[in-house]
Amino acid sequence: VVTGAATPTPAAQSSGSIAERIAAAGVNGGLCVQIGANETDAVAELAATGRFLVQVLDADSSTAAEAQSRLQAAGHYGLVSVDRLPNDRTLPYTENLVNLMFISSEASARVSADEACRVLCPRGLLAVESAKLTSDQLKAAGLVDVRAVGRDESWLIAKKPWPAEADEWSHPRPSPSGTAASRDGLVS
């Protein structure tokens, strides 16, 4: 597998399966987005668990096409899709949708901390190469629990906090009486 010059994701740099390491960080499934398409082994492994839908985005069309070919040859395409990152550097997702995001240091991986925070869901995890974004930029975008990880601490991980105005419950009805009423201040 051609991996290009990209540094492996923090999940690929340590022992244990990537799914185990991501679950230990609090993300058990959902939509995973990787910005930068030179290295796709880790996200292909995540998609193979059946718990993640993965999309890889790259601003360079030839890099995206090469990643798509690699994934197809390995039998992963469909579990993982590849597309072009829009030129305006906005992510093609609504707010609060993405559970897990990787941003590599590739030149074609052009996404701001604010844009990443916009699409991350509450308690969503962002992993970014520290050469791309700084801890201060991540904190300024509203992310919390920012820390360096990886063998050489070349990656930063951060979480989007749960909004104080949002109610949460673990079952279909939030009260013991079975009422659908909620104290959620975000939904009107």
Side-chain angles (χ1 to χ4, degrees):
V1 175
V2 177
T3 60
T7 304
T9 63
Q13 289 186 21
S14 55
S15 62
S17 78
I18 183 172
E20 290 169 349
R21 293 187 304 273
I22 296 300
V27 180
N28 295 304
L31 178 60
C32 172
V33 174
Q34 177 172 297
I35 311 300
N38 280 336
E39 198 337 291
T40 56
D41 293 343
V43 290
E45 182 184 334
L46 271 178
T49 67
R51 291 182 273 161
F52 288 91
L53 175 64
V54 178
Q55 185 166 46
V56 177
L57 299 173
D58 199 295
D60 181 69
S61 58
S62 63
T63 303
E66 289 170 14
Q68 185 175 17
S69 295
R70 280 194 316 272
L71 290 162
Q72 283 176 332
H76 295 298
Y77 202 76
L79 298 171
V80 181
S81 64
V82 181
D83 206 349
R84 280 215 48 216
L85 181 66
N87 289 333
D88 64 1
R89 299 181 185 185
T90 59
L91 294 169
Y93 311 108
T94 191
E95 293 82 10
N96 302 313
L97 179 68
V98 176
N99 301 89
L100 175 62
M101 182 182 296
F102 297 106
I103 303 176
S104 76
S105 65
E106 299 167 38
S108 57
R110 302 180 309 242
V111 173
S112 70
D114 288 331
E115 181 64 4
C117 188
R118 179 187 72 79
V119 302
L120 274 176
C121 68
R123 296 191 184 125
L125 184 71
L126 172 66
V128 59
E129 285 196 72
S130 55
K132 189 56 102 173
L133 293 170
T134 67
S135 176
D136 289 340
Q137 288 171 312
L138 297 178
K139 290 175 185 175
L143 299 171
V144 297
D145 300 331
V146 179
R147 64 184 190 277
V149 297
R151 287 184 198 130
D152 57 1
E153 297 192 344
S154 61
W155 284 81
L156 296 172
I157 62 170
K159 282 194 173 190
K160 184 170 182 176
W162 188 266
E165 316 74 44
D167 197 8
E168 74 178 301
W169 54 90
S170 60
H171 45 286
R173 304 287 184 191
S175 75
S177 64
T179 178
S182 166
R183 290 184 293 261
D184 197 315
L186 296 176
V187 179
S188 54

